[in-house]
Amino acid sequence: MNPVVERIETALKSAEASLTSAESAAQVEEVRISMLGRKGLFATLTKDMGSATPEERREIGRAFNEGKQRLQDLLAQAEERIKGSGSGEKALDVTLPGRCGAMGHRHPITQMIEDCVAIFRRMGFIVADGPEIETVRHNFDALNAAADHPSREMTDTFYFADGRLLRSQTSTVQIRTMDAVKPPIRIVAPGRCFRRDTPDATHSMNFHQIEGLYVDKNVSMADLKSVLQIFAWELFGKDVRIRLRPHFFPFTEPSVEYDFSCVVCGGKGCNVCKHSGWLEIAGAGMVNPNVFRNVGIDPEEWSGYAFGMGIERLTMLRHRISDIRNLYENDVRFLSQFN
Ligand code: DAH
């Protein structure tokens, strides 16, 4: 290859490398001067051309023109790129569209609470709340918990020195509400609860529940069942079936556990439902007459149902999250998936 042509190619290669890594307009300008400037490569070559034969001149001429064109393209590209990235030193282009900061969004637990509340509101429930620091009466006594019930232990519930506690369930709001207003009552109460559990993939020392309470005349288990079925449909779709199994809770009699047909496998059996086809979602039942007596409501006149369920569990099922701790680490890479 003609040595002049070779010089052009070598110089172009190094110019291309500098231009693709250039970060400022000044760096691009530097390359332009070194190649096209008065003392740049092309000017020098023009001077050297004098000694070439006509044959060589044609070859060099072609390489020269093509090289110059290629260089100009590279310069234009680099300028465009730098202008686009905003780090150029060109004047501010006020006609460019604005760049929007990343938008935040609600935490998946908050989203779940709001969705549950919206469903119950459509069925006529209103939102009630109560404090996270509670008395033994609201958390246990008035809810008919046996005096020796293990959940009252220091090892299960967080107590303050003055005997108050961090509520271990949102059922406290049943008592708060019935203390304050006369029936009929139809409330849901979402909120934070605390238990002395060792954290693992499915346990957290603080978590959320949503409680429901309905008190009126002639309330039956059928009313409870229909509300729970509609809730399941609204939250996870029309294919979800529900099942009520006999259980025990101090504040309800009879008591049930409320299951969804598995929202992952549709009930066929999978890892999430431990191959049973069913998912435990909530506790529920007819308000125990003792609870009514504890808040001064006549159980002969009034009846009611109650339910309570874990928000984390619903959130984990909705998004197929396998470890509850992900919900509390506030890792933006994790949370930004739930926009
Ligand atoms: N408070 C219960 C718990 O934390 C859940 C529950 C069960 C709430 C039955 C209720 C109910 O209102 O009727 O395990």
Side-chain angles (χ1 to χ4, degrees):
M1 198 193 282
N2 183 298
V4 181
V5 175
E6 216 172 317
R7 259 175 80 191
I8 294 176
E9 286 193 1
T10 315
L12 267 179
K13 274 206 194 100
S14 94
E16 181 167 10
S18 319
L19 287 173
T20 38
S21 62
E23 279 167 5
S24 68
Q27 282 170 298
V28 175
E29 192 54 21
E30 210 172 283
V31 176
R32 184 199 306 282
I33 291 168
S34 77
M35 298 291 281
L36 298 175
R38 231 164 0 104
K39 293 185 188 141
L41 177 80
F42 288 104
T44 319
L45 288 179
T46 315
K47 260 186 258 157
D48 294 353
M49 284 259 271
S51 54
T53 66
E55 188 90 348
E56 286 170 335
R57 269 180 204 230
R58 219 173 307 125
E59 199 189 342
I60 297 168
R62 196 175 329 107
F64 192 101
N65 289 334
E66 283 173 6
K68 223 169 172 175
Q69 185 56 50
R70 170 111 187 90
L71 179 70
Q72 256 141 12
D73 290 347
L74 289 169
L75 286 165
Q77 274 170 25
E79 269 166 8
E80 197 56 35
R81 180 174 55 78
I82 284 163
K83 207 162 84 188
S85 73
S87 58
E89 290 143 26
K90 289 265 159 69
L92 175 70
D93 182 351
V94 294
T95 67
L96 285 172
R99 258 183 293 265
C100 194
M103 294 280 273
H105 60 87
R106 290 164 305 148
H107 192 281
I109 289 185
T110 312
Q111 292 179 29
M112 178 54 75
I113 291 173
E114 292 182 1
D115 291 350
C116 291
V117 165
I119 293 168
F120 286 116
R121 283 175 70 99
R122 286 200 291 277
M123 292 192 276
F125 289 79
I126 61 169
V127 175
D129 75 4
E132 290 168 4
I133 297 176
E134 266 296 8
T135 66
V136 171
R137 172 175 175 266
H138 292 92
N139 202 81
F140 295 119
D141 297 344
L143 285 165
N144 196 41
D148 58 354
H149 196 277
S151 64
R152 291 181 182 250
E153 297 286 321
M154 299 273 288
T155 49
D156 284 53
T157 296
F158 292 103
Y159 285 91
F160 293 91
D162 63 6
R164 289 183 306 164
L165 48 76
L166 289 175
R167 70 176 175 195
S168 63
Q169 51 189 0
T170 45
S171 306
T172 52
V173 185
Q174 293 188 35
I175 304 303
R176 291 262 161 203
T177 305
M178 290 188 286
D179 274 346
V181 298
K182 292 200 165 18
I185 291 169
R186 184 154 41 174
I187 56 122
V188 284
R192 200 182 280 275
C193 306
F194 307 84
R195 284 183 201 176
R196 291 188 71 162
D197 279 327
T198 306
D200 64 20
T202 55
H203 293 86
S204 169
M205 284 184 281
N206 90 78
F207 57 96
H208 299 74
Q209 290 184 336
I210 183 164
E211 190 84 9
L213 173 69
Y214 181 42
V215 183
D216 208 332
K217 304 229 158 128
N218 303 316
V219 179
S220 78
M221 200 87 181
D223 299 322
L224 170 65
K225 200 174 168 185
S226 64
V227 161
L228 293 179
Q229 174 66 77
I230 289 166
F231 174 73
W233 283 334
E234 292 284 308
L235 194 63
F236 282 118
K238 274 284 178 195
D239 293 333
V240 181
R241 286 161 291 126
I242 67 162
R243 174 173 86 166
L244 302 182
R245 281 177 296 116
H247 202 74
F248 173 80
F249 294 103
F251 26 87
T252 43
E253 183 58 35
S255 300
V256 294
E257 272 204 318
Y258 159 59
D259 299 345
F260 284 2
S261 58
C262 182
V263 296
V264 176
C265 65
K268 286 193 279 292
C270 68
N271 287 336
V272 175
C273 61
K274 302 202 183 83
H275 302 282
S276 71
W278 294 95
L279 302 164
E280 287 174 22
I281 298 295
M286 303 309 292
V287 178
N288 190 308
N290 288 337
V291 174
F292 280 144
R293 279 180 209 110
N294 291 337
V295 292
I297 291 178
D298 179 2
E300 299 302 323
E301 187 183 355
W302 301 98
S303 49
Y305 63 72
F307 55 84
M309 57 195 129
I311 295 290
E312 278 75 3
R313 172 120 169 103
L314 294 174
T315 307
M316 290 167 74
L317 288 170
R318 167 184 273 182
H319 299 297
R320 315 283 194 264
I321 296 167
S322 54
D323 194 320
I324 195 172
R325 290 167 291 197
N326 286 323
L327 291 169
Y328 296 109
E329 281 161 3
N330 285 335
D331 184 331
V332 180
R333 292 167 302 177
F334 172 79
L335 293 176
S336 63
Q337 300 176 92
F338 310 110
N339 198 346

